[in-house]
Amino acid sequence: RERNAEPPSFTAMVIKAAALMMTRHPHANRAIIGPPLFRRLIQFKNTDISVAIETNLPHLPGLAFTAPIRNASTKALTAISEELRAFTSVSENESADYRSYKTVLAKVPWPLSGWLIHLPHWSVSLWTRYRGCGCWVNAPSK
């Protein structure tokens, strides 16, 4: 504040602490991923924290878009706070992932769209692309 800078948010501090904890204790950075009957425990090496972003999705209350903050353990608190602020006003023009998420929800019939949205639970590469690693933070805008 002495430099007239925006102070880091509480959520940014939680994200940074979680990323540092996963760096120091790698066994905590795991997830169970895979199709039914073939699930396995995956150890992640990255510290990408997935953030649930509340967006206004007409006719679809209660659904959240998720975006990972990449390499959170190496970022400054101010950089993480800036990313979180950008997430609160995410739009289809700015994010290709959000655009595809909204398109799937709006144009694909319900059973198939639900399967597509949950597809990262079946594939390690999709999980790391869309979810990050083994940590998740909910509702930073609240």
Side-chain angles (χ1 to χ4, degrees):
R1 289 186 177 176
E2 292 173 358
R3 296 177 298 205
N4 293 326
E6 188 75 25
S9 69
F10 178 73
T11 306
M13 291 182 213
V14 170
I15 289 170
K16 179 73 173 188
L20 291 173
M21 187 277 309
M22 289 188 307
T23 302
R24 291 187 185 120
H25 305 282
H27 59 276
N29 191 11
R30 296 177 180 172
I32 298 172
I33 300 174
L37 303 176
F38 296 100
R39 296 187 191 274
R40 59 184 185 191
L41 187 63
I42 302 299
Q43 176 71 54
F44 298 104
K45 293 178 177 44
N46 56 339
T47 55
D48 303 342
I49 308 292
S50 189
V51 179
I53 303 162
E54 292 183 17
T55 57
N56 185 13
L57 297 171
H59 311 295
L60 298 167
L63 290 177
F65 170 67
T66 61
I69 294 183
R70 304 283 178 200
N71 299 315
S73 63
T74 61
K75 290 186 178 176
L77 284 172
T78 53
I80 295 171
S81 288
E82 288 173 16
E83 281 191 56
L84 289 171
R85 275 192 279 289
F87 287 160
T88 59
S89 62
V90 68
S91 71
E92 293 177 57
N93 299 332
E94 298 168 357
S95 172
D97 288 341
Y98 181 64
R99 184 173 40 253
S100 63
Y101 176 77
K102 201 164 177 184
T103 301
V104 165
L105 290 176
K107 297 186 178 182
V108 177
W110 173 76
L112 185 56
S113 66
W115 182 80
L116 288 172
I117 295 297
H118 289 92
L119 199 56
H121 292 270
W122 296 45
S123 164
V124 176
S125 62
L126 290 175
W127 183 273
T128 54
R129 178 175 178 207
Y130 293 107
R131 302 286 197 262
C133 63
C135 185
W136 180 285
V137 176
N138 287 327
S141 61
K142 290 282 180 183

